[in-house]
């Protein structure tokens, strides 16, 4: 035979058709994707899609294996669909999540798919950066072994097996996760049994005896078997989780004779079984049987007999518009004719079944005409017809969808009848949800048509609008919470505008009413410092967005002005920067709408001013908007953005502006008593006494502004407010005192401060005959005595309002001074006031003016409070001097009653103070300088008053500038000449300050005066009584004057300082209790 033929040497080269360079593979892919294919059915199955990104910033694709059936889908079409979805990301790294929940052999992609993906998907495979396999089971292990890691386990890829589905959130943010609820809920409501010995199985293919410990879980829908052993799959260790739907179980076999053994059979492409041995077998069998019974009792969705006419009607109308087949149009026509004839529809005479009928492609006019007549005569089919139409629409092309929208539009109006019947309420709600889902899916191509044909028509049905609004908010809460899906939220905003254009008054009224109902009134929610943690805040953010889009172009009528002002005031500067910008946009849009649609020519001038003002940077800051580029349409905000907290005094500024706008729009600019004023007042009052402390604080500020007459400021209302002040002080006092910074940042002071502001605004309208009128000044004084910097500013304004009101209402008789009038109001409150004054070390009985001025000295050290303190001292001085004929008469008749105010005022440099100095200096005669107006026998009747005067002058030195210090030193010098016997008493107070001045002062004039004072003091040093030096302040009850210019928050943060402030607040609460019981 000779030698064997030579065997051809095999080369590593591939056949020409398989040789793929990078360039020709790209061309092959391009050609492959350019072939027109119908993938709507695959899209509807939604088993492969892209959503969000991982924490590494990679776009994430999801493959839901159980929704893919290999025998029903062509591999070529599937490959086309997979590559088409991934096409935008082919040149970028991406991640893939394989959801293997309930993965069975029939869900395995066909072998042809792997070949096609290798041929065309080289770029995609190369850029596959990370793979997450969720809920891997026994079959995944077999499949991975068969594929030998091909297509997935490349060396450069990260591979994660996730047997606990919540672990996916370690890699992907929960809001961005695209796994379906059925997967995410696998581990919810489980009954767990462990250990269970798993001794025999025929799961999936093949039969194999096993002896392995497992963990058995029983859920509402799934029977779960979790391995305790870790298996190595593609180089990664993982547990396996076999999930069997309970409906697949056929037998649960347990016999008491063998109590620790049971068999579970299930049917899936043949009969399979689990055999377990465990002490829990009896309990497992019992729970499984009970759960299976419950599963069978669940209502299942099916087509009811009543659904058939609606389903057939939609089938006929939809296929009448088929543009590809004339035979299909004819068949659909004959179906419609038969349906109308058999069910005795009123239009049956207008239709006649003909097999050779030629219907034109463009027959939409006929379809719509027939639908309009049927909607009018067969309205009972509305729910079934609309439901089936919406369900079937998603499976067709754009042309058919547009026709469907045209012919279902006439049926929308029929929902009015079904809304009036509670039996159909659930079906109508479901229909609205279907409409929302349809809109979100089809908005790109059919958005304007859907809004016009469906939502505009829905807007005229008032009975269904509340369901529509609830449905929109519910859908937003589920899909757009915290700004997680701005695109969907934008679609929902478009929907609300569409329904509002048909009925703006009703729709806006419903939105506002539901918005107001979201403000929390739950006592537990009211105690939370961070309002964004409350249950209701999610809804608040959604209603803000809806109200913002409605506020443009007069969709928000002017008669809702009180409600809009109330909503803005309680929500401004809360939430994220986008939420704050949204609140500001509501205001600007609303005022713009009022201005451009107002009938009168006068009001717009006033509105234009505020419209311009609210756009200024000042008001942006008041609304908590710090970024210039932040708008309601900003899609993302910087991570860890720092948001400022708005002061409660800023709320007062904005509320005052709102009240001015409301007044300008009221008849004769008088808002009090109008319907708008009454509505706003009712809302504010309700919110002030209920709900979250943030809303309450703001509402109390507005309440003070709205109560503008005696009819509003009643003793009953005042008593309620005083009780709330007491409660807020107690709650504020209950905060742990060991961390002052935590107290300062918690906003816990806003509520008591707001109530004090409210009282300041209301007091001028309180009738002088009120049982609280005269005693209220002592409340202001006690609040100042507390020494809490948060309360101090508001308390100063309260004191100003009270003193002004006493003066304006002529409450002080000519025979009494202001101090005597105030001291005469103590009455039954005397014991409590004495305790507080003794605790503080101030004696109002000895000198009312010095004691009150001592409390006001705290404001001198603060640049913010100094102006208000000066104004308060001037008001006190002017009120005390009101009935005196000139300064000389004042000094002779009320000298000691104004001495404290003058001592604090004269060193200052304000315009009114300079004028006061000039007046005193011009009295002439025996006074050669202003200082002598302080040191004379009328102003200083005894050594105690002289001592207080020296101490005050010395105390003021620490907070004064150079010019003020010159006046003070000259006054001290004059005082030594007038009362030299006082020097021993003030030695310890004066000498240390004088020594500091000598060592640090650069002024020759001041040094000269100081040296003169020191010389006089040292000349009398031998006469100093040590005992008198140390005890005189205690003796006259003014020992607290040493620290009267300190705030407790400026002292070192020690327990004693905090304890002192807490005790004073408790005394204040006791005072309020006695005051409200008068």
């Amino acid at each position: 035979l000779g030698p064997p033929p030579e065997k051809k040497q095999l080369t590593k080269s591939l056949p020409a058709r398989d040789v793929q360079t990078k360039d020709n593979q790209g061309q092959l892919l391009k050609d492959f994707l350019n072939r027109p294919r119908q993938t709507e059915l695959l899209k509807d199955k939604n088993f492969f899609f892209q959503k969000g990104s991982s924490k590494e910033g990679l776009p994430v694709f999801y493959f839901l294996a159980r929704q893919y059936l290999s025998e029903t889908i062509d591999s070529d079409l599937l490959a086309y669909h997979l590559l088409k979805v991934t096409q935008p990301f082919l040149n970028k790294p991406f991640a893939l999540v394989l959801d293997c929940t309930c993965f069975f052999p029939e869900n395995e992609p066909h072998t042809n798919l792997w070949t096609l993906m290798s041929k065309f998907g080289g770029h995609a495979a190369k850029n596959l950066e990370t793979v997450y396999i969720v809920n891997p089971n026994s079959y995944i292990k077999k499949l991975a072994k068969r594929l030998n890691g091909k297509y997935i386990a490349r060396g450069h890829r990260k591979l994660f097996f996730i047997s606990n589905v919540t672990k996916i959130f370690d890699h992907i943010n929960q809001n961005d996760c695209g796994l379906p609820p059925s997967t995410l809920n696998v581990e919810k409501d489980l009954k767990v049994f462990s250990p269970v010995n798993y001794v025999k199985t025929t799961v999936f293919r093949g039969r194999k005896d096993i002896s392995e410990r497992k963990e058995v879980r029983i859920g509402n829908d799934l029977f779960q078997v979790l391995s305790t052993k870790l298996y190595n799959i593609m180089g990664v260790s993982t547990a396996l989780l076999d999930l069997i739907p309970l409906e697949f179980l056929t037998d649960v076999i347990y016999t008491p004779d063998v109590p620790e053994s049971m068999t579970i059979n299930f049917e899936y492409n043949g009969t399979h079984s689990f055999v377990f041995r465990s002490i829990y077998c009896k309990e497992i069998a019992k729970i499984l049987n009970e759960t299976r019974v419950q599963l069978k009792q669940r209502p299942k969705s099916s087509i009811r007999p009543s659904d058939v006419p609606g389903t057939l009607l939609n089938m006929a109308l939809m296929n009448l518009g088929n543009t590809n087949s004339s035979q299909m149009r004819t068949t659909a026509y004959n179906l419609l004719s038969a349906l109308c004839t058999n069910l005795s529809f009123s239009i049956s005479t207008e239709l006649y079944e003909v097999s050779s009928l030629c219907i034109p492609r463009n027959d939409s006019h006929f379809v719509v005409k027939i639908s309009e007549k049927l909607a009018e005569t067969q309205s009972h089919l509305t729910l079934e017809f609309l439901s089936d139409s919406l369900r079937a629409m998603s499976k067709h092309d754009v042309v058919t969808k547009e026709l469907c929208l045209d012919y279902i539009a006439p049926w929308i109006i029929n929902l009015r009848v079904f809304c009036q019947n509670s039996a159909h309420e659930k079906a109508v709600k479901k229909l609205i949800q279907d409409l929302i889902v349809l809109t979100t899916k089809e908005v790109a191509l059919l958005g304007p048509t859907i809004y016009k044909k469906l939502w505009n028509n829905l807007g005229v049905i008032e009975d269904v609008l509340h369901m529509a609004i609830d449905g929109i908010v519910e859908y937003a809460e589920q899909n757009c919470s915290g700004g997680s899906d701005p695109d969907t939220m934008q679609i929902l905003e478009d929907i609300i505008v569409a329904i509002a254009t048909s009925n703006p008054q009703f729709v806006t009224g419903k939105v506002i009413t539901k918005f107001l109902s979201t403000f929390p009134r739950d006592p537990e929610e009211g105690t939370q410092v961070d309002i964004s943690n409350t249950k209701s805040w999610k809804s608040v953010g959604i209603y803000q967005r809806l109200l913002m889009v409605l506020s443009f172009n007069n969709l928000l009528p002017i008669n809702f002005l009180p409600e809009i002002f109330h909503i803005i005031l309680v929500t401004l500067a809360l939430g994220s920067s986008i939420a704050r910008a949204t609140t500001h946009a509501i205001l600007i849009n609303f005022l713009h709408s009022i201005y451009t649609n107002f009938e009168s020519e006068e009001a717009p001038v006033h509105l234009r001013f505020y419209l311009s003002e609210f756009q200024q940077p000042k008001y942006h800051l008041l609304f908590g908007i710090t970024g210039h580029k932040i708008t309601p349409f900003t899609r993302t905000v910087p991570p860890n953005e720092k948001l400022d907290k708005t002061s409660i005094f800023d709320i007062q500024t904005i509320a005052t502006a709102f009240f001015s706008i409301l007044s300008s729009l009221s008849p004769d600019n008088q808002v009090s008593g109008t319907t708008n004023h009454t509505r706003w007042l009712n809302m504010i009052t309700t919110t002030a006494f209920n709900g979250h402390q943030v809303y309450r604080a703001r509402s109390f500020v507005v309440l003070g502004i709205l109560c503008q007459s005696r009819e509003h400021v009643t003793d009953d209302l005042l008593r309620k407010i005083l009780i709330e002040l007491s409660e807020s002080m107690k709650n504020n006092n209950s905060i742990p005192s060991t961390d002052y910074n935590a107290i300062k940042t918690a906003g816990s002071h806003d509520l008591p401060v707001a109530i004090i502001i409210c009282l300041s605004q209301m007091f001028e309208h309180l009738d002088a005959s009120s049982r609280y009128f005269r005693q209220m000044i002592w409340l202001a004084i006690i609040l100042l005595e507390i020494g809490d910097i948060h309360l101090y500013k508001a308390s100063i304004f309260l004191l100003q309002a009270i003193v002004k009101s006493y003066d304006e209402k002529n409450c002080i008789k000519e025979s009494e001074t202001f101090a005597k009038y105030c001291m005469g109001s103590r009455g039954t409150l005397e014991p409590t006031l004495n305790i507080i004054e003794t605790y503080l070390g101030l004696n109002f009985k000895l000198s009312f003016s010095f004691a009150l001025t001592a409390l006001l000295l705290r404001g001198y050290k603060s640049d913010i409070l100094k102006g208000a303190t000066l104004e308060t001292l001037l008001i006190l001085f002017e009120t005390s001097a009101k009935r005196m004929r000139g300064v000389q008469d004042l000094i002779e008749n009320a000298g000691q009653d104004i001495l404290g105010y003058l001592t604090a005022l004269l060193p200052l440099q304000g315009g009114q103070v300079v004028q006061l100095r000039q007046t005193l200096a011009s009295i002439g005669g025996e006074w050669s300088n202003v200082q002598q107006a302080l040191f004379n026998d009328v102003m200083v009747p005894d050594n105690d008053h002289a001592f207080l005067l020296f101490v005050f002058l010395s105390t003021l030195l620490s907070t004064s500038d150079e010019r003020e210090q010159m006046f003070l030193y000259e006054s001290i010098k004059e005082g030594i000449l007038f009362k030299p016997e006082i020097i021993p008493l003030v030695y310890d107070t004066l000498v240390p300050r004088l020594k500091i001045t000598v060592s640090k002062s650069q002024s020759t004039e001041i040094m000269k005066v100081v040296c003169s004072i020191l010389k006089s003091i040292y000349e009398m040093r031998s006469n100093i009584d040590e005992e008198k030096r140390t005890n005189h302040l205690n003796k006259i009850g003014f020992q607290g004057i040493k620290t009267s210019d300190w705030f407790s928050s400026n002292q070192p943060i020690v327990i004693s300082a905090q304890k002192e402030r807490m005790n004073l607040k408790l005394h204040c609460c006791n005072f309020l209790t006695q005051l409200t019981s008068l």
Side-chain angles (χ1 to χ4, degrees), residues 597-610:
N597 291 278
F598 207 80
E599 298 177 0
S600 170
E601 296 181 359
E602 298 179 2
V605 176
H606 195 74
L607 284 172
R608 187 167 60 241
F609 167 76
Y610 277 109

Side-chain angles (χ1 to χ4, degrees), residues 541-727:
I542 292 167
Y543 281 114
Q544 276 182 321
R545 302 291 305 181
L546 300 183
L547 206 55
M548 185 267 293
V549 296
L550 290 173
S551 60
F552 176 71
N553 194 31
N554 208 31
L555 288 178
L556 191 57
I558 189 174
N559 58 298
F560 291 114
L561 191 64
E563 287 78 10
I564 296 303
F565 281 169
H566 178 62
I567 287 171
I568 291 173
L569 283 168
V570 298
T571 59
L572 69 87
L574 296 176
S576 67
S577 55
I578 296 177
R580 298 175 181 209
T582 301
T583 305
H584 184 258
I586 293 172
L587 175 62
I588 298 300
N589 280 6
F590 188 43
L591 293 183
H592 176 268
S593 182
I594 296 174
Y595 177 76
T596 54
N597 291 278
F598 207 80
E599 298 177 0
S600 170
E601 296 181 359
E602 298 179 2
V605 176
H606 195 74
L607 284 172
R608 187 167 60 241
F609 167 76
Y610 277 109
L611 192 54
S612 175
E613 276 291 292
F614 288 134
Q615 296 178 75
Q616 299 303 314
K618 168 191 172 182
Y619 278 96
H620 276 78
L621 292 176
L622 293 183
F623 274 75
I625 307 170
T626 54
H628 297 292
K629 297 182 180 179
I630 297 295
T631 73
F633 302 111
T634 302
R635 298 182 69 85
T636 58
V637 295
N640 303 320
E641 58 175 346
K642 295 182 179 180
L643 301 172
D644 295 331
K645 180 181 180 294
T646 293
S647 164
I648 199 70
F649 290 97
D650 296 337
I651 303 297
Q652 185 181 10
T653 302
I654 298 172
T656 302
F658 285 1
F659 186 78
S660 178
I661 293 173
L662 193 63
S663 297
S664 70
L665 298 175
S666 302
D668 301 323
N669 292 332
Q670 294 295 322
V671 68
S672 184
T674 63
T675 303
N676 282 340
H677 181 261
T678 302
R679 292 210 323 265
W680 193 2
L681 189 58
N682 288 339
M683 286 184 290
I684 282 293
T685 305
T686 301
T687 309
F689 291 98
N690 299 280
H692 196 281
Q693 62 177 351
V694 173
Y695 296 152
R696 296 185 62 204
R698 295 166 177 224
S699 297
F700 271 114
V701 173
V702 182
L703 180 62
I705 295 171
L706 293 183
C707 291
Q708 294 289 308
S709 67
R710 293 182 179 181
E711 289 75 18
H712 295 131
V713 187
T714 62
D715 279 0
D716 183 54
L717 176 60
L718 196 62
R719 181 176 181 274
K720 290 179 180 178
I721 294 174
L722 292 173
I723 291 173
E724 289 297 328
L725 177 59
S726 177
E727 291 298 319

